[in-house]
Amino acid sequence: MSRSDPIPADLPGLDLGPDGPVFREPWEAQAFAMAVALHGAGCFSWSEWAQALGREIARPGGEQTAYYEHWLAALEHLVEEKGILDAPLLLRRREEWRAAAEATPHGEPILLR
C-alpha cells in the first residue's frame, strides 16, 4: 500500500495512528498487507471486506477476540469463499505457520521453510 492509497474509513475497529494503521505484532501487519494486496488485485471490494470483517466481529464472543484475529479470520473466510484458496490448502498453511511458530525461539522472526 503506498501513501497515495486511501485507507478505507468504513473498516470496523481499524486502529489508525498519525502515520496509518497501528500493529502490535508483525503478523498483524502481514495480514493487513495480504488483505490490501488481494483487494488491489481485484479479488474483493472494500465493501465485501468490511462486511466479512463485520461478520467476524459480530460472532458470539467476538468482543473478547483481538481485532487482528478477527481480521485474519475474515481474510481466511473471504479467500475460501472467493475460491482463492480451498479449505484443505488453507488448513495446511495454518498448520505450517503453527509448526514454524513453535519451532522459532522467542523474539526471532517466524520463517516458513
Side-chain angles (χ1 to χ4, degrees), residues 1 5 32-46 48 75 79 82 84:
M1 181 176 227
D5 293 331
F32 181 89
M34 282 189 273
V36 171
L38 289 170
H39 164 70
C43 296
F44 49 78
S45 68
W46 278 126
E48 289 174 304
L75 184 59
V79 298
K82 294 287 191 171
I84 299 165

Side-chain angles (χ1 to χ4, degrees), residues 2-74:
S2 73
R3 282 210 165 280
S4 63
D5 293 331
I7 296 171
D10 62 344
L11 295 179
L14 183 61
D15 190 9
L16 293 174
D19 296 322
V22 176
F23 306 107
R24 289 171 184 80
E25 300 284 338
W27 72 265
E28 295 175 348
Q30 293 166 347
F32 181 89
M34 282 189 273
V36 171
L38 289 170
H39 164 70
C43 296
F44 49 78
S45 68
W46 278 126
S47 175
E48 289 174 304
W49 172 254
Q51 290 172 9
L53 183 56
R55 282 192 302 270
E56 290 303 320
I57 292 170
R59 288 187 188 276
E63 66 279 355
Q64 297 159 349
T65 302
Y67 178 72
Y68 279 102
E69 288 179 28
H70 288 303
W71 188 281
L72 183 57

